[in-house]
Amino acid sequence: MSEFIVGARGHDFGRHSAEELLCSIGDAGFRCTQLAYTKAVEGVKSYADVTPALVDATNAAVQKSGVSIAVDGTYVELGYADEDKRRAEVAKALSQVPVAKALRAGCMGSETTNMAKQPTVSRKEAQEALLRSLGEIIPICEEQGVLFAVECVYYHSMNTPEAVRLVLDTIASPNLRVICDLANYVQPRGFLRGLQRRLRDAARPAPARPPRPAGGGCPGPRRQRYCVHEELFLKPRPRKALPLGELARKRLRGQGRCQTAFTLR
């Protein structure tokens, strides 16, 4: 049976030295991480700052903490339609292939460019640029024995399951993988509208309720439609002790309800 290994993103823990970061992740109960040097390690502002000494320090931290590198997070813009920009991003990714190999990372990982970064470019053009970028990166990964994974995000160039299928079928390499974060497939527009409506309704002052008459009866005709026998639900009812492992079923007749209680061993 496959084993699921639970990990955490390094940059969710803030910026630290490699040792402090991996030890913090291990102390939190995780066994692996997505390590994005430019987002999580102090002093790293660009991929040029990922030096052999830093990689050696990271490997030492892996041994000390017991936290492995599941994903070497290499965030580059693979979907730039501008060829000069795209080639510069590909060069960044290629510079990290030896790093991922030295770290024995499960894979390298990248997103595929937010469409808002090039508003005059169509998604078809961005996807074609993405395919050109992967066509240059994957052969090097195959030579080095490194896996390269791309992540689908609904507002990026690779934005749907169909787009993922297109990329996988076009590149057709066992070294190309997919990072699947299902939340990134869902557009939140409807959810946000519903949330805004609920927040707006919650901010309105609640209408005053009519005073309840003494004696606990129903306050008036409006509520009588929803009023039920309070003694049925509010008063504790004696229950018989049930043997362990048995299913006890008691029907409350007259109202068409059924109450079922389970006792586990």
Side-chain angles (χ1 to χ4, degrees):
M1 180 180 292
S2 299
E3 180 185 10
F4 287 91
I5 302 175
V6 180
R9 295 191 311 183
H11 46 287
D12 288 331
F13 285 73
R15 279 188 180 269
H16 305 279
S17 68
E19 181 176 331
E20 290 172 339
L21 178 65
L22 294 186
C23 287
S24 295
I25 294 170
D27 291 342
F30 298 104
R31 294 172 53 194
C32 64
T33 186
Q34 176 188 353
L35 176 63
Y37 276 113
T38 57
K39 293 187 175 187
V41 176
E42 289 178 342
V44 179
K45 296 181 180 179
S46 71
Y47 292 111
D49 296 323
V50 183
T51 62
L54 178 56
V55 173
D56 290 342
T58 304
N59 277 326
V62 167
Q63 296 300 316
K64 180 177 180 178
S65 65
V67 175
S68 61
I69 310 300
V71 181
D72 178 14
T74 309
Y75 287 88
V76 292
E77 305 298 345
L78 302 177
Y80 271 155
D82 181 283
E83 277 299 293
D84 291 336
K85 290 183 177 180
R86 188 190 65 77
R87 290 193 185 100
E89 297 298 308
V90 168
K92 293 178 187 177
L94 292 176
S95 73
Q96 297 307 293
V97 174
V99 172
K101 184 173 183 178
L103 292 174
R104 295 178 289 278
C107 67
M108 297 173 67
S110 179
E111 295 174 342
T112 66
T113 306
N114 187 336
M115 292 301 298
K117 293 185 175 182
Q118 42 184 3
T120 62
V121 173
S122 70
R123 180 162 270 115
K124 183 176 183 294
E125 291 171 326
Q127 289 178 356
E128 290 172 350
L130 169 63
L131 292 173
R132 291 196 297 275
S133 297
L134 292 174
E136 297 170 16
I137 293 170
I138 295 302
I140 305 302
C141 289
E142 290 175 344
E143 292 176 5
Q144 297 296 318
V146 172
L147 302 180
F148 192 92
V150 284
E151 183 174 357
C152 176
V153 182
Y154 73 90
Y155 52 88
H156 287 194
S157 62
M158 192 177 76
N159 64 318
T160 64
E162 292 77 14
V164 173
R165 183 77 270 170
L166 171 67
V167 169
L168 291 174
D169 288 345
T170 303
I171 300 300
S173 170
N175 288 66
L176 177 62
R177 304 298 173 93
V178 173
I179 296 173
C180 184
D181 181 344
L182 292 178
N184 284 335
Y185 286 77
V186 181
Q187 298 190 36
R189 294 172 185 167
F191 169 77
L192 290 177
R193 281 197 298 269
L195 178 61
Q196 289 170 348
R197 184 172 58 253
R198 290 195 298 272
L199 290 174
R200 185 173 60 248
D201 292 344
R204 292 172 180 164
R209 294 185 177 181
R212 186 166 184 170
C218 295
R222 184 178 179 185
R223 191 179 167 191
Q224 284 176 355
R225 290 181 299 166
Y226 310 104
C227 187
V228 294
H229 294 292
E230 293 181 353
E231 65 274 8
L232 184 63
F233 294 98
L234 301 183
K235 292 183 179 180
R237 299 188 299 278
R239 299 186 181 216
K240 294 181 180 180
L242 299 174
L244 291 178
E246 290 188 3
L247 166 66
R249 181 177 298 240
K250 181 180 179 182
R251 296 189 179 277
L252 303 178
R253 303 189 182 279
Q255 299 293 330
R257 294 182 297 274
C258 176
Q259 176 178 322
T260 304
F262 293 90
T263 307
L264 302 179
R265 295 183 183 275

